[in-house]
Amino acid sequence: MVALTLPDGSVKQFDGAVTGLQVAESIGPGLAKAAIAVKVNGELRDLLREIETDAVLEIVTRKSDEALNLLRHDAAHIMAQATQELFPGTQVTFGPATETGFYYDFARKAPFTPDDLEKIERRMHEIVDSELPLQREVWERDAAIRFFMEQGEKYKAEHIETLPRDEIITIYRQGDWLDLCLGPHLPTTKHLGHAFKLMRVSGAYWRGDARNEQLQRIYGTAWRDEKELKAHLHMLEEAEKRDHRRLGREMDLFHFQEEAPGAVFWHPNGWTLFSQLIDYMRRRNGCGDYKEINAPEIMDRSLWEASGHWEAYHEHMYTSQTEDGRTFAIKPMNCPGHVQIFNQGLRSYRELPLRLAEFGKVHRYEPSGALHGLMRVRAFTQDDAHIFCTPEQIKQEVQASTQLILDIYSDFGFDGVRIKFSDRPEKRIGSDAVWDRLEADLREALEEMDQPYELNPGEGAFYGPKLEFVLRDAIGRDWQCGTVQVDMNLPERLDATYIGQDGERHRAAMLHIAKLGSLERFTGILIEHFAGRMPLWLAPVQVLVATITGDADNYAMEVLAALRKAGLRAEVDLRNEKINYKVREHSLRKVPVIAVVGAREAAEGAVALRRLGGQSQEVLALSEAIPRLCREAIAPDLAEPEAETSSVEPLAVAGTAAVAE
């Protein structure tokens, strides 16, 4: 007798072993038709695999959270089958599901072409329509190795040889094609449906090691239905239009070059934007009672060994050895330097919490293939902060930091921020007792705020658990930015103490706070979120004065001087070009406001304001236009409360500084 407990608490009993499909059929034909897999005691399994013991069971359908991974995993297998059928001699390696689709790595001498991808995709649709059953088989280890070697699949055979001797070897067969796989899979290829598309080919290395053979990786995307697929493809089109690397060139913000891989060459416009972010964060830190500091970028290896970074992180550190035999490292993180500043002199409990902040430049080695514009670099600036406090102050500091981070994101238009709670990783320092306490403090801090969060198991830092703040941009992509990390291990290793009320030394607790995170990455996110149309307060050039005729040149210079005197970032275009040409050019640069002046404006002391993306212009007296632009150009943290409800142009709700009218 097998008793299965369903999600509603009811129990179904069967005389013997039973499949998930049979359970679904016993509940109803509709569920049986919709079922694609089952969860047995929380473990995802094939729908047709027998359940032999009592268990908690859940039927998985296309609407279930687990469905997309299943669909994408099957799409990878169907793509591999189609590829090997069309291109005999091609070897398969690994083919997992991804966040938005799937990929498979292939060993083939000839490169895949766009035409090849079209052929593979057509064959995939035919395999789906063939309704081939996916059948799980358990093989003997040596038989599996022998089979794949005979088939010329050396990568599969090599992978099996690396598995533990007691590992169960499972093979999934679909028609005449089969592959080594843990599963689970859909019942038949028909269950995948046709909402998939092959996207591109890139290079990859066997087992991700550049010393191994190079493979070809075919990427695809798969969804529950055509509507989801179309929405995703539309998002990709939007993402391409918003690509910060392209916009960076058009707006003349920055560039990269091979002499400094992963490091940004900021142009004047880009550095202006970057500096506005720093100025904003400096004001925010000041209001939060953070004290700004600056620690050395290069420090002796001994400090990194003492902190634990050398053991856990040295492969990502840039190092050098001096003539006197000392080894130095360029800092990949700011925290050890901040502890050294805290440690200078005796600290009293009366000084705590002590909040230290630095816009610290850090360097981390990333594989060249992982670099991606501003989003993934080797040299970047963190708005890094560390709070030194008593253990009893941890929760209140977590709460204050969390609220500050959420307020900051709201200023940039990011609402509905998700918080992930990341607990202890396998590779960590410190005792379980310390981790238990810190994880409890983090959880309780959020729960007391009624702040929802989701678990992110095993993703904490090596020295402590953390909160990760995830933003969603204008086209629905998620970006993990800020963090709040709680740490009593680094203070222990670097002997950070304070004198308590009892006159004795006590170990300080330490919070690692990054509000925007990497400022380079956050800049890239903002560029793509706003499609280059930055809010007025952030725009590198806020107003461009453009002349219609040379007769207005002198007046244009007067307008430029008045705008700059009012604190606005303004430029002038006096070229002998048609005004429509100038407007198009500066619109491509995403200048928010173009102030057009001609003979009439000069005579009347006026400007004709054209907004980015607008189809019309508004003629205002210069004495009226400047105060209005200044109001729109006030940064959100400086705006008066009533300004939040005032009527302003879209994307022009904040700016650099309030200027008196």
Side-chain angles (χ1 to χ4, degrees):
M1 185 74 70
V2 174
L4 301 177
T5 304
L6 303 180
D8 63 0
S10 62
V11 178
K12 279 194 164 289
Q13 294 189 331
F14 299 87
D15 292 336
V18 62
T19 67
L21 179 59
Q22 290 171 327
V23 177
E25 288 172 339
S26 73
I27 297 172
L31 183 59
K33 184 178 180 180
I36 58 173
V38 291
K39 286 175 72 174
V40 180
N41 293 332
E43 176 192 358
L44 201 61
R45 288 194 187 182
D46 301 316
L47 190 64
L48 297 178
R49 185 174 169 185
E50 288 192 336
I51 305 161
E52 300 174 338
T53 60
D54 295 354
V56 175
L57 182 134
E58 180 182 346
I59 305 295
V60 176
T61 70
R62 294 178 82 85
K63 296 181 179 179
S64 303
D65 293 340
E66 300 83 0
L68 273 176
N69 264 348
L70 274 172
L71 295 170
R72 290 164 179 166
H73 192 180
D74 278 53
H77 274 235
I78 292 172
M79 178 177 72
Q81 178 181 354
T83 302
Q84 290 196 306
E85 288 178 353
L86 292 169
F87 304 99
T90 300
Q91 293 187 63
V92 295
T93 59
F94 294 131
T98 68
E99 189 175 348
T100 59
F102 59 93
Y103 69 78
Y104 225 112
D105 289 345
F106 298 97
R108 179 174 181 250
K109 290 183 179 180
F112 289 110
T113 67
D115 287 343
D116 293 337
L117 295 196
E118 290 182 11
K119 293 175 185 176
I120 295 169
E121 190 174 307
R122 283 197 298 271
R123 180 58 187 145
M124 289 175 68
H125 286 290
E126 293 170 356
I127 293 172
V128 168
D129 289 336
S130 298
E131 203 168 352
L132 301 176
L134 283 90
Q135 300 169 312
R136 179 179 183 269
E137 301 174 2
V138 177
W139 285 29
E140 193 272 330
R141 176 193 180 90
D142 292 338
I145 294 173
R146 187 166 56 251
F147 171 82
F148 284 110
M149 288 299 295
E150 291 172 354
Q151 296 297 311
E153 296 278 6
K154 70 170 187 175
Y155 296 97
K156 289 291 181 184
E158 179 184 324
H159 177 60
I160 297 172
E161 288 175 341
T162 64
L163 297 176
R165 296 296 304 181
D166 58 351
E167 181 96 1
I168 297 174
I169 306 300
T170 53
I171 302 291
Y172 276 82
R173 186 187 298 274
Q174 53 196 49
D176 296 329
W177 186 85
L178 54 80
D179 193 13
L180 174 75
C181 186
L182 289 172
H185 281 282
L186 302 169
T188 72
T189 58
K190 187 76 173 179
H191 285 76
L192 173 61
H194 293 281
F196 59 82
K197 182 175 179 58
L198 299 189
M199 306 301 292
R200 60 188 173 91
V201 182
S202 72
Y205 292 104
W206 170 235
R207 296 191 180 279
D209 190 333
R211 295 169 296 184
N212 291 338
E213 302 95 322
Q214 188 161 25
L215 308 172
Q216 296 185 70
R217 177 171 294 178
I218 299 180
Y219 286 94
T221 188
W223 300 85
R224 293 180 177 89
D225 53 43
E226 290 289 337
K227 182 178 178 182
E228 287 187 352
L229 175 61
K230 287 181 179 178
H232 178 69
L233 295 178
H234 176 70
M235 185 273 288
L236 292 180
E237 291 175 7
E238 278 295 309
E240 186 174 354
K241 294 176 187 175
R242 294 166 180 260
D243 190 318
H244 73 281
R245 295 166 297 180
R246 179 178 64 82
L247 290 170
R249 290 190 298 271
E250 293 176 357
M251 298 170 67
D252 193 23
L253 301 178
F254 59 85
H255 81 275
F256 293 88
Q257 62 188 62
E258 188 52 39
E259 287 79 1
V264 188
F265 289 80
W266 287 107
H267 299 191
N269 285 342
W271 190 247
T272 298
L273 169 58
F274 195 80
S275 298
Q276 293 306 307
L277 283 179
I278 291 179
D279 289 346
Y280 167 83
M281 288 306 305
R282 186 166 277 134
R283 293 193 302 271
R284 277 297 201 171
N285 284 340
C287 292
D289 197 28
Y290 286 86
K291 294 175 173 57
E292 188 169 336
I293 58 173
N294 188 267
E297 290 192 18
I298 302 174
M299 292 183 282
D300 189 274
R301 167 178 174 167
S302 60
L303 178 61
W304 302 107
E305 289 176 332
S307 70
H309 288 89
W310 189 266
E311 179 182 357
Y313 211 76
H314 74 273
E315 67 271 18
H316 298 290
M317 298 170 70
Y318 288 93
T319 61
S320 66
Q321 191 169 24
T322 56
E323 291 184 1
D324 59 2
R326 296 180 67 182
T327 299
F328 291 86
I330 303 177
K331 64 179 179 181
M333 299 175 182
N334 295 298
C335 27
H338 289 197
V339 176
Q340 304 315 302
I341 293 173
F342 175 82
N343 280 349
Q344 291 302 297
L346 288 177
R347 297 286 182 180
S348 165
Y349 72 95
R350 298 180 187 276
E351 298 177 71
L352 305 183
L354 177 62
R355 306 180 184 95
L356 303 179
E358 178 181 9
F359 297 101
K361 193 69 169 285
V362 297
H363 296 74
R364 301 177 186 176
Y365 177 77
E366 299 281 359
S368 58
L371 301 179
H372 180 72
L374 298 176
M375 304 303 194
R376 194 75 175 266
V377 291
R378 290 175 175 171
F380 58 97
T381 307
Q382 283 189 310
D383 62 334
D384 217 355
H386 293 91
I387 300 175
F388 297 88
C389 62
T390 69
E392 293 74 26
Q393 293 170 328
I394 288 177
K395 279 200 298 186
Q396 69 187 47
E397 291 303 307
V398 168
Q399 291 169 344
S401 300
T402 296
Q403 190 58 58
L404 177 57
I405 290 172
L406 294 175
D407 290 344
I408 288 170
Y409 293 155
S410 180
D411 280 349
F412 289 98
F414 295 110
D415 295 312
V417 176
R418 290 163 45 223
I419 299 178
K420 292 184 178 181
F421 171 59
S422 301
D423 60 12
R424 67 195 73 184
E426 286 188 19
K427 190 176 182 180
R428 61 183 183 269
I429 60 176
S431 68
D432 286 344
V434 169
W435 279 86
D436 289 342
R437 174 173 183 171
L438 298 183
E439 288 173 355
D441 281 341
L442 270 187
R443 281 194 303 270
E444 291 170 14
L446 292 177
E447 288 164 2
E448 288 176 9
M449 296 175 71
D450 291 325
Q451 181 64 52
Y453 64 92
E454 54 192 77
L455 294 177
N456 194 23
E459 293 300 318
F462 72 91
Y463 48 76
K466 63 180 177 178
L467 305 180
E468 298 178 345
F469 295 78
V470 181
L471 316 181
R472 178 156 293 177
D473 70 13
I475 58 175
R477 296 171 302 180
D478 288 339
W479 303 95
Q480 190 270 306
C481 291
T483 56
V484 173
Q485 306 177 38
V486 191
D487 181 7
M488 289 189 70
N489 291 305
L490 198 59
E492 177 73 31
R493 295 179 73 106
L494 297 182
D495 196 27
T497 61
Y498 64 92
I499 303 300
Q501 198 168 2
D502 57 2
E504 300 294 327
R505 284 184 179 269
H506 296 270
R507 187 71 60 203
M510 183 177 180
L511 273 65
H512 305 250
I513 312 293
K515 303 173 187 73
L516 301 183
S518 160
L519 292 179
E520 282 79 1
R521 183 169 177 268
F522 194 77
T523 301
I525 293 170
L526 286 180
I527 292 169
E528 297 197 359
H529 176 65
F530 291 115
R533 300 159 62 110
M534 308 304 290
L536 195 60
W537 71 282
L538 279 175
V541 178
Q542 295 170 316
V543 186
L544 188 286
V545 184
T547 55
I548 299 175
T549 67
D551 294 341
D553 285 0
N554 290 336
Y555 178 62
M557 295 304 296
E558 292 177 16
V559 172
L560 176 67
L563 290 167
R564 288 179 172 177
K565 184 177 181 181
L568 293 163
R569 295 186 292 278
E571 291 182 358
V572 67
D573 188 344
L574 304 178
R575 292 176 300 165
N576 185 24
E577 299 284 358
K578 292 182 178 180
I579 188 61
N580 287 340
Y581 176 84
K582 294 181 181 181
V583 170
R584 282 196 301 271
E585 184 175 276
H586 295 295
S587 294
L588 184 64
R589 290 175 57 201
K590 303 295 187 291
V591 177
V593 180
I594 298 177
V596 178
V597 296
R600 186 175 65 179
E601 285 78 17
E604 298 175 354
V607 289
L609 300 183
R610 295 192 179 197
R611 304 284 183 160
L612 181 61
Q615 301 301 314
S616 60
Q617 63 184 25
E618 182 181 15
V619 179
L620 295 172
L622 183 60
S623 60
E624 181 183 353
I626 290 179
R628 178 186 292 191
L629 292 171
C630 287
R631 285 194 297 271
E632 295 179 20
I634 298 173
D637 63 306
L638 298 175
E640 296 294 333
E642 59 267 23
E644 296 178 7
T645 58
S646 63
S647 177
V648 295
E649 293 290 329
L651 298 184
V653 294
T656 51
V659 180
E661 296 184 29

